Amino acid sequence: MNPYSLLFPLVIFFTAYLSAHVLAKFLGTPTEMDRQSTLDGLRGILALAVFICHTSAWHYYLNTGSFVLPDVGVFRQFAKSSVYMFFMITGFLFMSKLINDREKGVDWTRLFVSRVLRIAPLYFTVVFIMVFLVLLESDFKLQVTWAALLIDILRWVTFTVFGEPILNNYDKTLLITSYVQWTLVYEWLFYISLPLIALFLKIRVPFIYIAASITLVLLFILNMHNLFFPAAFLAGILTAIIFRFGQIKPLLTHPVFSIIAIALVLWQGWNYPEVSYQQPSGIPAFCLSVAFVIIACGNNLFGLLTTRTARYLGEISFGVYLLHGIVIFMVFNYFVGFNQVKTLSTTNYWSLISFITVLIIIAATLTYRLIEAPAMRQVSKVSLKIKTTFGMKTEISV
């Protein structure tokens, strides 16, 4: 049987959806239904798609020794379209925030505190687990100096802006996270660019944030290897502008536009399967952008994106995205064994992935409730503390 048949992604989606449905029934889901509720459901689907594309990369790695996506269109699409739309969501939401707060003024301290507390706690947890697994695989024996190890860990803690080094000479370091960390660098690059974007909108920005933005953007540009500027952020920004035209939104929620959005995604995937997932351009980018505009303006794709289960998957999507590599690595390495996984039949391999899917949904649920949500509840408190300590309210704005 073809190990990259479309049947297997469908089984994994169903397994994840069923697992989330059961957990949502007992644990509850977000009750808020606002104009961006469709994006919550979309996030869940995108995170699952990234996980599925990496399961195919793991299969390819076990058989060839190279962690790359197989030359199969459907799995490349899961990567390409998902990353592109993740970046569009970021561009849309934060451009919308700048526009909405333009008159009253943007609370820059709260904005950046919210980003740090939204991303850093879980990411640092993942880095901690990764370091522990590396040391475990090394029998807790240093293969490099303490100084070299600590510097390499620091490079990971700073979101790999300064590179993503192999730790303690363990050659499977990057496999532990399935390489997902690279997108966070671009998310941060966009966030720190927001004060500069705000200037173009004639929004008052404290001088300290302008200076910090310029400094950090230059730091990123000078230290990031193979740097590119995702057009998806610009597409998200444009979507936020389109969203302001109220007469367009009711039109795009019509069921016919659900068909159009789905058709555009499928059509570009069928006709342009070879496009790199890091930077789709031209016709594929246009199709994905139009589909995103339709969804961002409130089209729920026949209700798929606003079901209780879809919103639950959206709530835990960051955990699914960051944790799936660790769960795959641990199951493959400690519970089955890499050599044994290599010998599995196609059916048994994907059956194992189905089991891993359930574990990932559970793990993401736990980390959301124990790490992510508690951290986010501290945003107001931490923001106020920073403002009080450093007198941020009196900073000169430009």
Side-chain angles (χ1 to χ4, degrees), residues 14-238:
F14 176 77
T15 302
Y17 201 85
L18 181 61
S19 302
H21 178 78
V22 173
L23 289 172
K25 183 176 181 180
F26 288 98
L27 300 178
T29 54
T31 57
E32 300 83 9
M33 291 288 289
D34 58 26
R35 61 188 180 185
Q36 274 98 47
S37 60
T38 54
L39 298 185
D40 294 333
L42 180 62
R43 279 197 195 94
I45 292 175
L46 298 180
L48 286 176
V50 172
F51 157 58
I52 292 173
C53 89
H54 284 159
T55 61
S56 70
W58 268 99
H59 186 275
Y60 194 81
Y61 165 78
L62 292 169
N63 287 277
T64 68
S66 299
F67 191 85
V68 296
L69 295 178
D71 191 19
V72 180
V74 62
F75 290 98
R76 289 181 177 270
Q77 281 302 307
F78 284 140
K80 178 193 77 172
S81 299
S82 297
V83 171
Y84 192 82
M85 285 194 165
F86 266 132
F87 286 158
M88 280 196 288
I89 290 174
T90 297
F92 170 76
L93 291 178
F94 285 89
M95 184 62 176
S96 296
K97 181 171 183 57
L98 293 184
I99 293 174
N100 293 338
D101 293 347
R102 184 175 181 176
E103 296 300 326
K104 66 178 182 180
V106 177
D107 188 338
W108 292 101
T109 301
R110 182 182 176 86
L111 187 153
F112 286 111
V113 167
S114 72
R115 291 302 85 204
V116 170
L117 293 181
R118 182 68 187 92
I119 297 175
L122 183 57
Y123 176 74
F124 291 160
T125 301
V126 167
V127 172
F128 175 82
I129 295 173
M130 180 186 67
V131 172
F132 176 80
L133 292 176
V134 166
L135 293 176
L136 180 64
E137 288 298 294
S138 306
D139 295 322
F140 293 96
K141 297 178 181 178
L142 283 181
Q143 306 300 319
V144 297
T145 65
W146 271 110
L149 179 61
L150 291 175
I151 290 173
D152 286 343
I153 292 174
L154 182 61
R155 291 165 71 185
W156 276 92
V157 169
T158 51
F159 295 92
T160 68
V161 173
F162 304 99
E164 42 191 21
I166 301 299
L167 297 178
N168 205 35
N169 286 337
Y170 181 59
D171 60 0
K172 293 185 177 66
T173 298
L174 294 172
L175 284 175
I176 295 176
T177 61
S178 289
Y179 295 79
V180 298
Q181 64 280 346
W182 77 266
T183 61
L184 297 183
V185 180
Y186 288 92
E187 291 277 339
W188 278 116
L189 180 57
F190 178 76
Y191 296 144
I192 64 178
S193 301
L194 286 173
L196 303 181
I197 296 173
L199 289 181
F200 285 100
L201 299 176
K202 297 182 179 180
I203 296 175
R204 292 175 62 84
V205 183
F207 179 77
I208 187 174
Y209 286 113
I210 294 294
S213 180
I214 294 173
T215 302
L216 290 174
V217 167
L218 290 175
L219 185 67
F220 271 55
I221 292 175
L222 293 174
N223 287 279
M224 287 174 63
H225 300 292
N226 302 315
L227 177 67
F228 68 93
F229 294 92
F233 288 119
L234 297 178
I237 289 173
L238 180 60

Side-chain angles (χ1 to χ4, degrees), residues 262-325:
I262 295 171
L264 284 171
V265 173
L266 295 178
W267 183 85
Q268 64 84 29
W270 181 267
N271 288 279
Y272 299 89
E274 74 287 352
V275 176
S276 168
Y277 70 90
Q278 287 186 326
Q279 185 73 332
S281 58
I283 294 176
F286 176 78
C287 291
L288 291 171
S289 298
V290 173
F292 179 77
V293 169
I294 293 171
I295 294 171
C297 287
N299 193 302
N300 58 22
L301 303 185
F302 302 108
L304 174 65
L305 299 180
T306 50
T307 63
R308 178 172 65 180
T309 303
R311 288 186 291 123
Y312 187 90
L313 286 170
E315 184 178 62
I316 65 171
S317 59
F318 191 48
V320 171
Y321 183 80
L322 279 187
L323 294 169
H324 71 260

Side-chain angles (χ1 to χ4, degrees), residues 1-5 7-8 59 345-347 350:
M1 182 180 291
N2 180 5
Y4 307 119
S5 167
L7 171 64
F8 299 118
H59 186 275
S345 67
T346 296
T347 301
W350 287 103

